[in-house]
Amino acid sequence: MERCTPMFQFSGIKIRDQKRALIQGIYHLSGKYIGGSVYQTACTHLIIPHVLASEKFLASCAAGKWVVTPDYVLDSVRNGSWLPEGLYEVAIPRGSMSAFYPARHWRKNVTSGAITGAFQGWKVLLMVQDASRSIMFKRVLEAGTAIVYSYPPPSHTVITHVIVKPITQDASSHNGPCFPVTHIIQYLFGRNCVDMKFNVTDDFNEAKEASVVDVDFSKLEGDLRDHVIEQEDRPRLLFLEFLSYHDPHHPLSQVIETDFGNIGTMIECGLFIEALDTIRSAVFPGILPPAPYLVALIEYAQQGSATTLFLRTFQQIMHRLLVANPPWLAPANVKKYYSQVLQCPHCKMGQWPFLETAISYCLSSEATCHQLPGPALPTLLNFYNDVLAFFLKLFQGELYSITGGDFMQLPETGVYQVSKSGSLLYRTFWTVWERSTLLSCAVKKLVQLMMQAASGDNAERDEEPKWHLLAILLDLLSVLVEFWFRHHCKLNHKLVEKGLKDLSDHFAISSQYLSSVVLAEMVARISSTRLKLALVDAIFRNICCTIGITLAGEPLSLKKVMLSYLPALGRLAQSQSWTHHTTKSCTSLDTNCGTLSSVENESRKECIPRGLNKVNAAGETLLHRACKRNQVETVIQILARPGIDINVKGSELLQQADEKGRTTLDLTSDTSERAELIHSAQVGDSKLNSAKVLNHALLEAGSCMLVHLLVCYQQEKGLPGSTLASDVGHTLVRGLEAHPLQRVTLGWTDQRAVSLADDTHTLLELARGKHSGQVCEAVKAYEGENTVILMVILGSMQSKGQTLLAEVNRY
């Protein structure tokens, strides 16, 4: 790769002959010298004899430039080409064997792309009385990509640092943490600034008075990572009833071996009740009734002529069998025994077809493994309801066994650890070719049956049986999701995240035809907060997508909820047309639903204007070019696409930032133009805020989803003030109070720890009232039940953030 032309500046070189030799050497090697007494952004190398407190040195360090000694140029001339700079970096000796390189840390982070500058994310209100020094500090801060404002700052801007000289009593009254100018040096070099012996006599005392919290951010990352891992490993579903289940290898009492030979004769003679009584009296730990007898009893029950007494007794036997011989604590032959029993005696195709048949028959569907008596017989309905309840109890037990720590080796009995992949639940819902995906064929079919149970097709049936079936199916989905998650989370976290997203997107699309009342009831009945969070996020995005609102595609975060979901709620309230039974499908949930047919996908591709996402050298999109050229049809085609909204809030447009974090107002230097932009945005916002709620049902549906989302998000992520330990939470809050988020997370490699810090930062912003304007006034004033609860939750989160700030400031 060809080397770029090095651009040099000098600092601290006073001898004319030395400067002349350096300049000649630079040009001899095809470099370039930049003169001037102030730092120039084009500079790539600063030549300096030793560390000194100059503008060029501070700015070069902040910008991540090379800071080398004069020997670098002189030795390169002798070499005939530019040498590697590493051996010539300016250093401060700290002993015979070590040295401190002041520019190295920031240079490595900038060149690696981790940051754009040492002060990335800073929005500084600079209040230095000496005009010349104020300009100097402004150049240093901007070299590190800080955004610098003079007093007064724009009203919309959130100031992260107020840097003053001299420090006065009213300096801290401005909206932001207050620091002396020496904070710039302390931030760049940390504790090493003492060894650098800068002339900071008066400023150093000021810095001591306004001391900055010293946080070991690398240790903080580790603490947050450990907390996130602990949160993910926390059991979501607890089944205390399984505490009483026994180990089959340690029977409670010595039982005389039972002779089951006469049971076969009873069944052949039609004495089913007598056969059941005999089996029931012989169920003990370590003793299993012969599987063919139970299979024969199930076959009799499938004929639809079984009595209520028969069904009740059979249910008692299966429950006793599970208590006495739980398969998760037994060797492989016991699981094989359950596999033989829990399948259709007629078809013998395994657990899932039998489970699917039970669900289908309860739904009055003919899609069963073989033809069954119909119309739906009450006794057969009761039998299959019992089958579903038993499957659920069995799978709950298997989940309990891995969350309760029962999957362990028992050396004294010779029983080895049972693998999760060998469980009955795993075998039921995933084939050996599907185990790397959550959304298997069986899981998809389970979701389809769930939607069928919740749909209006069953409206003529009693509500209680309908919700009883739905509750079992939702519990079943929660159990299998938790089981699959725990099986894969430590092996491949990205695989788990993709699996949850695929399932939740499939669920959201499948449920888009349900009424808002039914959908809200379904969501409320989901027992796994992990699953509920993923589902309500996908459902809310699907609702927005259905009426043409496109939401950001980044992973779910508290900031995304505040900046994207809450404004979208206001637009849902003002949508003039929408029904749950719409035939319009979402093109994508985060641009990739993956469930549309190829024909639908091709037709949608044909509607995409050519070059829609192409931006030319002048920064113009296709919409810009079409407007300039008066191409009316192209403009209409673009505006008709989902997610395009010409009525977007003005304040949202002003908050859009480029890759350096600069907004439109940051790039507008003229005061009058800036004031005009702010006024236009305020006028536009006031018109939108004054709008009335036009779609009450849609607003309540969206509010319901956001209520569940925010509650589950706080439970799942463990923000400070909830499950995060107080000492770690307070350390994080203190760090975010003293430094920008980018500084706290600088160099962090664990994205989960970064996300937790980002959520905490958003929570603190909410505590200061920053995001209150994201909810339009019409929504705030609406008195619908779900919307009122949502406003209460937002207020509670704001209070939680304020409590955190008060606790940190107290200590």
Side-chain angles (χ1 to χ4, degrees):
M1 186 172 124
E2 187 177 351
R3 178 179 175 129
C4 298
T5 302
M7 314 283 282
F8 291 87
Q9 278 196 285
F10 300 157
S11 181
I13 300 178
K14 305 299 182 182
I15 302 174
R16 183 176 299 178
D17 291 341
Q18 184 186 17
K19 184 179 290 187
R20 183 185 299 113
L22 291 172
I23 294 175
Q24 289 175 346
I26 289 170
Y27 282 110
H28 176 74
L29 296 176
S30 300
K32 187 174 180 180
Y33 168 70
I34 306 175
S37 59
V38 301
Y39 170 77
Q40 301 291 331
T41 57
C43 167
T44 61
H45 294 69
L46 176 67
I47 306 297
I48 190 170
H50 54 80
V51 171
L52 70 161
S54 70
E55 172 192 334
K56 294 178 185 177
F57 172 72
L58 297 176
S60 297
C61 291
K65 305 299 179 65
W66 282 105
V67 181
V68 293
T69 63
D71 289 338
Y72 171 68
V73 176
L74 301 177
D75 289 352
S76 294
V77 171
R78 297 187 189 99
N79 182 63
S81 61
W82 293 113
L83 293 167
E85 296 92 337
L87 296 175
Y88 299 91
E89 279 191 285
V90 168
I92 299 176
R94 291 192 295 197
S96 59
M97 301 297 293
S98 65
F100 167 63
Y101 296 86
R104 179 174 292 180
H105 171 75
W106 298 111
R107 177 180 54 76
K108 285 186 175 181
N109 279 283
V110 171
T111 54
S112 68
I115 57 174
T116 57
F119 308 118
Q120 175 182 308
W122 286 30
K123 292 192 175 183
V124 181
L125 174 59
L126 188 60
M127 300 177 63
V128 178
Q129 289 185 356
D130 188 324
S132 60
R133 291 181 64 81
S134 177
I135 295 173
M136 181 197 73
F137 287 120
K138 185 174 186 292
R139 285 192 293 263
V140 171
L141 290 165
E142 289 180 337
T145 66
I147 300 172
V148 183
Y149 301 97
S150 56
Y151 186 82
S155 58
H156 75 286
T157 302
V158 176
I159 299 297
T160 62
H161 295 71
V162 179
I163 295 182
V164 298
K165 181 178 174 61
I167 293 181
T168 58
Q169 291 184 348
D170 65 337
S172 60
S173 62
H174 300 288
N175 186 20
C178 183
F179 304 95
V181 292
T182 50
H183 177 61
I184 297 173
I185 298 174
Q186 291 178 330
Y187 179 80
L188 285 175
F189 309 117
R191 298 185 181 93
N192 297 286
C193 66
V194 178
D195 298 331
M196 301 171 78
K197 299 178 182 179
F198 287 163
N199 183 20
V200 290
T201 53
D202 294 334
D203 290 339
F204 183 78
N205 292 330
E206 293 171 356
K208 204 167 185 181
E209 292 172 6
S211 61
V212 181
V213 178
D214 187 13
V215 182
D216 184 355
F217 293 136
S218 60
K219 181 180 183 302
L220 179 60
E221 180 192 15
D223 292 338
L224 295 180
R225 180 180 59 248
D226 293 343
H227 168 70
V228 172
I229 294 174
E230 183 181 351
Q231 278 290 111
E232 290 179 345
D233 200 47
R234 173 179 54 85
R236 270 51 175 191
L237 305 177
L238 301 175
F239 309 106
L240 299 180
E241 64 269 26
F242 293 104
L243 290 172
S244 61
Y245 282 36
H246 311 304
D247 183 350
H249 303 280
H250 293 83
L252 294 180
S253 60
Q254 295 295 327
V255 181
I256 300 176
E257 187 171 344
T258 304
D259 181 12
F260 291 101
N262 60 340
I263 297 178
T265 304
M266 295 179 186
I267 294 176
E268 290 177 1
C269 297
L271 302 174
F272 298 107
I273 299 298
E274 290 78 2
L276 288 174
D277 289 336
T278 304
I279 294 175
R280 180 171 55 182
S281 63
V283 175
F284 292 98
I287 298 179
L288 297 171
Y293 297 157
L294 293 182
V295 171
L297 294 171
I298 291 175
E299 187 173 15
Y300 169 71
Q302 278 189 324
Q303 298 173 7
S305 55
T307 64
T308 303
L309 177 60
F310 175 95
L311 296 178
R312 184 170 65 249
T313 307
F314 185 79
Q315 183 185 25
Q316 292 173 353
I317 289 174
M318 296 302 294
H319 179 72
R320 285 190 181 186
L321 187 65
L322 188 62
V323 172
N325 299 278
W328 54 88
L329 288 176
N333 65 311
V334 176
K335 287 190 289 296
K336 185 177 180 180
Y337 173 85
Y338 278 96
S339 297
Q340 292 174 343
V341 172
L342 296 176
Q343 61 177 338
C344 176
H346 183 270
C347 302
K348 298 182 180 179
M349 295 188 297
Q351 282 73 57
W352 169 246
F354 187 42
L355 184 59
E356 182 182 2
T357 291
I359 300 172
S360 297
Y361 195 84
C362 292
L363 292 173
S364 301
S365 171
E366 297 181 357
T368 53
C369 58
H370 69 280
Q371 188 173 1
L372 293 170
L377 301 177
T379 54
L380 194 51
L381 282 174
N382 292 335
F383 169 72
Y384 277 128
N385 271 296
D386 292 340
V387 168
L388 292 177
F390 182 79
F391 266 108
L392 177 60
K393 181 65 67 175
L394 171 62
F395 295 154
Q396 286 174 339
E398 289 190 319
L399 175 60
Y400 166 81
S401 68
I402 61 173
T403 57
D406 288 335
F407 268 86
M408 63 181 69
Q409 187 173 355
L410 303 173
E412 67 276 9
T413 60
V415 179
Y416 294 96
Q417 180 176 357
V418 181
S419 67
K420 300 167 192 153
S421 59
S423 66
L424 292 169
L425 186 152
Y426 219 70
R427 294 176 182 178
T428 301
F429 287 98
W430 292 276
T431 65
V432 293
W433 300 279
E434 295 177 320
R435 293 186 176 180
S436 61
T437 177
L438 173 58
L439 195 60
S440 65
C441 291
V443 175
K444 285 183 180 178
K445 186 62 178 179
L446 178 63
V447 173
Q448 179 184 338
L449 292 170
M450 195 179 303
M451 299 309 153
Q452 185 179 344
S455 67
D457 298 337
N458 295 297
E460 70 278 3
R461 300 184 56 202
D462 295 336
E463 285 296 314
E464 187 174 346
K466 169 186 173 181
W467 284 114
H468 174 72
L469 177 61
L470 258 181
I472 291 180
L473 298 183
L474 289 169
D475 285 342
L476 191 59
L477 184 62
S478 293
V479 169
L480 69 89
V481 166
E482 287 298 320
F483 193 94
W484 188 88
F485 181 91
R486 296 187 69 86
H487 183 64
H488 291 283
C489 64
K490 294 182 180 179
L491 302 176
N492 191 332
H493 193 268
K494 289 185 178 179
L495 173 71
V496 169
E497 290 181 341
K498 183 180 184 302
L500 278 173
K501 183 179 184 304
D502 290 343
L503 172 62
S504 58
D505 287 349
H506 179 75
F507 187 98
I509 294 173
S510 302
S511 65
Q512 64 184 343
Y513 306 107
L514 299 178
S515 70
S516 58
V517 175
V518 172
L519 196 57
E521 184 69 23
M522 287 181 67
V523 167
R525 288 173 180 255
I526 296 173
S527 52
S528 167
T529 53
R530 191 195 326 266
L531 175 61
K532 185 185 292 189
L533 177 62
L535 292 185
V536 295
D537 178 41
I539 292 171
F540 184 81
R541 287 185 285 112
N542 188 46
I543 291 174
C544 292
C545 187
T546 303
I547 65 170
I549 301 175
T550 299
L551 301 174
E554 72 269 8
L556 181 64
S557 66
L558 199 56
K559 180 176 292 184
K560 182 179 180 180
V561 175
M562 297 302 160
L563 298 182
S564 186
Y565 286 16
L566 291 181
L569 184 66
R571 295 167 65 185
L572 291 177
Q574 294 163 15
S575 174
Q576 297 192 15
S577 62
W578 181 85
T579 62
H580 281 280
H581 300 279
T582 176
T583 58
K584 181 179 179 181
S585 296
C586 167
T587 305
S588 67
L589 292 172
D590 287 351
T591 72
N592 185 20
C593 286
T595 59
L596 297 177
S597 67
S598 59
V599 176
E600 290 174 294
N601 280 324
E602 288 299 321
S603 64
R604 292 185 184 280
K605 289 180 181 177
E606 294 175 359
C607 298
I608 300 177
R610 185 177 179 181
L612 175 64
N613 299 316
K614 185 178 180 180
V615 180
N616 63 16
E620 297 174 335
T621 64
L622 179 61
L623 182 59
H624 289 125
R625 299 191 293 273
C627 291
K628 288 175 63 176
R629 297 168 186 170
N630 199 28
Q631 297 172 337
V632 179
E633 292 184 0
T634 302
V635 173
I636 294 175
Q637 191 178 8
I638 295 173
L639 295 180
R641 292 204 31 88
I644 303 297
D645 183 15
I646 60 174
N647 296 317
V648 65
K649 280 190 176 184
S651 58
E652 292 180 12
L653 292 174
L654 294 184
Q655 292 171 3
Q656 300 299 311
D658 61 12
E659 68 280 358
K660 294 184 178 180
R662 298 174 299 185
T663 65
T664 304
L665 295 177
D666 296 331
L667 300 173
T668 306
S669 56
D670 186 85
T671 306
S672 60
E673 291 180 356
R674 182 181 298 166
E676 185 177 350
L677 284 173
I678 295 175
H679 175 70
S680 299
Q682 291 174 344
V683 171
D685 291 350
S686 63
K687 290 182 178 179
L688 289 177
N689 285 332
S690 62
K692 297 181 179 179
V693 173
L694 302 178
N695 199 319
H696 304 272
L698 187 53
L699 173 57
E700 278 290 277
S703 296
C704 176
M705 294 303 113
L706 290 187
V707 165
H708 288 293
L709 188 145
L710 287 174
V711 171
C712 292
Y713 194 88
Q714 293 180 79
Q715 292 176 338
E716 283 294 305
K717 301 303 179 181
L719 300 179
S722 53
T723 60
L724 184 59
S726 58
D727 54 343
V728 179
H730 288 169
T731 301
L732 176 58
V733 172
R734 282 195 294 268
L736 293 172
E737 278 289 273
H739 303 282
L741 174 65
Q742 293 84 350
R743 171 66 182 89
V744 174
T745 60
L746 180 64
W748 288 12
T749 58
D750 193 290
Q751 187 56 44
R752 292 170 295 181
V754 174
S755 298
L756 181 53
D758 182 69
D759 287 337
T760 305
H761 181 258
T762 304
L763 184 64
L764 297 180
E765 289 181 332
L766 185 64
R768 301 187 184 97
K770 179 179 178 182
H771 300 297
S772 59
Q774 300 298 337
V775 184
C776 70
E777 296 301 325
V779 172
K780 291 180 181 178
Y782 187 68
E783 296 182 356
E785 180 181 1
N786 293 321
T787 307
V788 170
I789 295 175
L790 177 61
M791 295 302 109
V792 171
I793 290 176
L794 290 174
S796 175
M797 293 177 64
Q798 184 177 23
S799 300
K800 181 184 295 184
Q802 292 169 345
T803 301
L804 280 172
L805 291 174
E807 290 176 353
V808 169
N809 293 330
R810 187 181 308 128
Y811 298 102

